[in-house]
Amino acid sequence: MTLHVRHRGTALAFVVLFALGQALLWYAYYGHGAKVLIGDEQGYQDTALAILAGGPWMPSSIWPPLQPLLLAALYWLAGSHVLVAQIAQTLLLLACALLLRGLWRELGGSVAAANWAAALLLLSPPIAAYAQWLWPEIPHLFLLLAALRLLALARRQWLAPAAHGRAAGTAALAGVCVGLALLAKSLLSGFWPLFLLMFVRRTRPRGGWRAAAAFVLGLGLVTAPALVHGWRSHGKPMIADSSVYNLWMGLTDRWRSDYVQDMGGIELPAFLASGSTPQQRNAVYLGKVREWVAGHGLGNVLAAQLGRQYFRLFNAKTLLVSQLPGPACAGHLSTYHTAPWLTRTLTWLNHASHALILVAAAFGLACWRRRMGMLHLVVVLLAAYQLVLFAFIHVKARFLLPLMPFLCGLAGEVLARLAASRRAVGMCTAAAGEASGRSHTHAAPPALAASPDHPPGPGAARLLAGAALAALLLVLAFAPAALDRLCAG
């Protein structure tokens, strides 16, 4: 009964915190006049409204089509108001948390760690706020997590004789999710074939090719219309291609914080005017990239990228803080109309949650001891792929979002362990008090027995590695403004 009451109290506390966080974000968005749509947000909105008016469903070779199509569908069903999209994306955010909880269990995390991971994803203001914006980050995150969850299930079905026949159908659904993710953002364009590793095994059973073929078929079916459109319009089967443009912008970025003298809006028209087809534009800008590298030297370019891009990626000046009122010289867009007290409150909550996740995740990674399987390998390769990619392309703080579920999972491992240790100390204290009135022949319970959910504590070397990684992440998160001497005159 005690366990039931404790869990019920924890669930109630989470619901209250989530409701308060949501109320604060909604009030910030609408309380003093609705937030202004900016950049790609306005572009997705305009394209969605144009689609509803009979315009082309895929008017751009730069931006993938899913987000405006999703907005157009929502507006057709419930009216052309941003609020409709915000409600739908908030529901997708809740679904992301449920998917993360299940995925973390698939990765071997404890129930408590999976619960903490889902809670961190929902309670962190800079993550939760994405549901209120029109960027495709939340739909893309939902599709990515759903694909990984389905791939894990398909692998289990493939390896289990009783469920072997269902593996192909599950893999096809995973392929559909990855295909839709490609239509939302181009992030997975260079990675998706590695998802096929989920159907590889050195020993029997063989036959993973059927599930792999179903995965590719599902992906192909949903991307085929866009690929055919690209072939007819540009002579190339493509969805959207901004890779060379983003590479050029990444090489020429100057600051460790995004939105500081941002050149994207200025350079994009020049890029589009540099050729009549995507191939021509890419050729022109690839030539500029080669000239830049030759003029600066490969070593200097690599050093400059490593000294700048990861600051931009892990920056505590998240997209939420960037849009709050503040000086433009520090990268503030002031699209929110929040009062000073609310600006300070949201900034403090942003920094606190960002630091908590990064620090706890650093220790969680350093202290991870569970056996690695194929799903672990795919997740590790996905994270490595993104980190390598973001070393070169134009990076904004919102690009960290696809990595945040896994950081939340690692952080959840640490927080679950700390919570379990605290409960164990409380149990031992209570047991010692009861034992004082009884015979000394009765032994008190151990502090925390090792179990699959609570493996043995980490050694000093792992703790030291975790502390070093946490310190590095905190520097990346909080040092950019001081290093760049923003607004220093």
Side-chain angles (χ1 to χ4, degrees):
M1 182 64 181
T2 303
L3 183 64
H4 173 72
V5 170
R6 184 178 69 241
H7 286 186
R8 186 170 61 187
T10 302
L12 179 60
F14 164 76
V15 170
V16 170
L17 289 174
F18 179 71
L20 290 174
Q22 286 291 302
L24 201 62
L25 289 172
W26 283 99
Y27 179 69
Y29 197 102
Y30 286 109
H32 296 83
K35 184 191 84 71
V36 178
L37 299 181
I38 57 166
D40 293 351
E41 268 194 307
Q42 188 64 60
Y44 293 129
Q45 175 77 348
D46 293 343
T47 302
L49 296 177
I51 290 172
L52 287 176
W57 66 277
M58 194 172 173
S60 173
S61 63
I62 299 293
W63 291 278
L66 183 65
Q67 185 68 1
L69 286 172
L70 175 61
L71 293 176
L74 291 170
Y75 294 163
W76 180 77
L77 288 170
S80 301
H81 195 286
V82 172
L83 180 63
V84 175
Q86 292 173 320
I87 294 173
Q89 292 192 148
T90 299
L91 294 176
L92 283 180
L93 175 66
L94 291 170
C96 286
L98 292 175
L99 288 169
L100 174 59
R101 185 183 183 279
L103 181 61
W104 203 253
R105 293 290 289 144
E106 294 278 0
L107 289 166
S110 67
V111 172
N115 289 340
W116 272 106
L120 287 171
L121 191 75
L122 292 175
L123 297 179
S124 174
I127 297 175
Y130 278 101
Q132 297 180 353
W133 306 326
L134 298 189
W135 282 279
E137 313 304 312
I138 292 298
H140 180 269
L141 186 64
F142 168 78
L143 292 165
L144 174 60
L145 293 174
L148 288 170
R149 191 81 171 87
L150 287 167
L151 284 168
L153 176 59
R155 182 175 177 83
R156 285 206 317 273
Q157 291 173 338
W158 164 49
L159 296 177
H164 186 83
R166 299 196 296 271
T170 306
L173 287 176
V176 168
C177 288
V178 173
L180 290 173
L182 289 169
L183 295 175
K185 287 174 66 72
S186 301
L187 175 65
L188 299 178
S189 297
F191 183 85
W192 71 263
L194 293 181
F195 285 126
L196 296 174
L197 288 173
M198 293 297 294
F199 308 111
V200 172
R201 194 184 185 192
R202 291 183 179 179
T203 59
R204 293 188 176 184
R206 306 286 182 184
W209 65 268
R210 294 186 184 89
F215 172 84
V216 175
L217 178 62
L219 187 153
L221 285 175
V222 296
T223 56
L227 294 173
V228 170
H229 178 275
W231 179 270
R232 289 176 174 175
S233 301
H234 311 297
K236 176 184 177 183
M238 56 175 284
I239 297 173
D241 185 7
S242 59
S243 56
V244 177
Y245 168 74
N246 278 321
L247 175 59
W248 170 250
M249 294 304 300
L251 291 176
T252 55
D253 279 331
R254 295 179 54 199
W255 308 101
R256 296 177 178 89
S257 296
D258 57 9
Y259 297 112
V260 178
Q261 299 180 9
D262 190 84
M263 297 297 293
I266 298 174
E267 188 67 31
L268 182 58
F271 173 77
L272 294 174
S274 65
S276 58
T277 67
Q279 297 93 315
Q280 292 174 358
R281 294 192 287 266
N282 285 344
V284 170
Y285 270 72
L286 198 56
K288 296 179 68 172
V289 167
R290 293 193 183 99
E291 291 178 8
W292 180 273
V293 174
H296 291 79
L298 180 59
N300 292 331
V301 169
L302 290 175
Q305 295 301 108
L306 293 176
R308 180 179 61 243
Q309 299 302 85
Y310 294 125
F311 285 98
R312 296 172 66 93
L313 182 64
F314 289 97
N315 205 323
K317 189 181 74 65
T318 64
L319 187 54
L320 175 61
V321 174
S322 291
Q323 294 186 87
L324 293 175
C329 58
H332 289 273
L333 302 171
S334 300
T335 58
Y336 279 89
H337 308 298
T338 49
W341 70 268
L342 185 52
T343 301
R344 289 193 298 269
T345 300
L346 287 173
T347 301
W348 185 89
L349 290 173
N350 173 91
H351 289 357
S353 64
H354 194 69
L356 172 65
I357 291 172
L358 292 183
V359 170
F363 282 99
L365 179 61
C367 300
W368 184 268
R369 288 187 173 184
R370 292 180 173 87
R371 201 178 86 175
M372 299 289 285
M374 192 58 72
L375 181 60
H376 295 85
L377 176 62
V378 170
V379 169
V380 169
L381 289 175
L382 179 60
Y385 162 78
Q386 293 180 67
L387 290 175
V388 171
L389 185 67
F390 295 148
F392 298 98
I393 68 168
H394 180 56
V395 172
K396 294 185 182 295
R398 63 185 170 93
F399 292 179
L400 184 64
L401 186 65
L403 291 171
M404 288 304 291
F406 309 106
L407 294 177
C408 287
L410 292 169
E413 291 288 327
V414 172
L415 297 177
R417 181 79 189 212
L418 291 174
S421 300
R422 182 180 177 186
R423 286 197 301 270
V425 170
M427 289 170 58
C428 289
T429 302
E434 293 175 5
S436 63
R438 300 198 304 264
S439 169
H440 292 289
T441 59
H442 294 85
L448 184 63
S451 69
D453 276 1
H454 301 294
R462 288 176 177 267
L463 290 175
L464 185 60
L469 181 56
L472 173 61
L473 291 176
L474 288 177
V475 170
L476 293 176
F478 292 98
L483 291 174
D484 283 341
R485 303 178 67 182
L486 297 177
C487 304

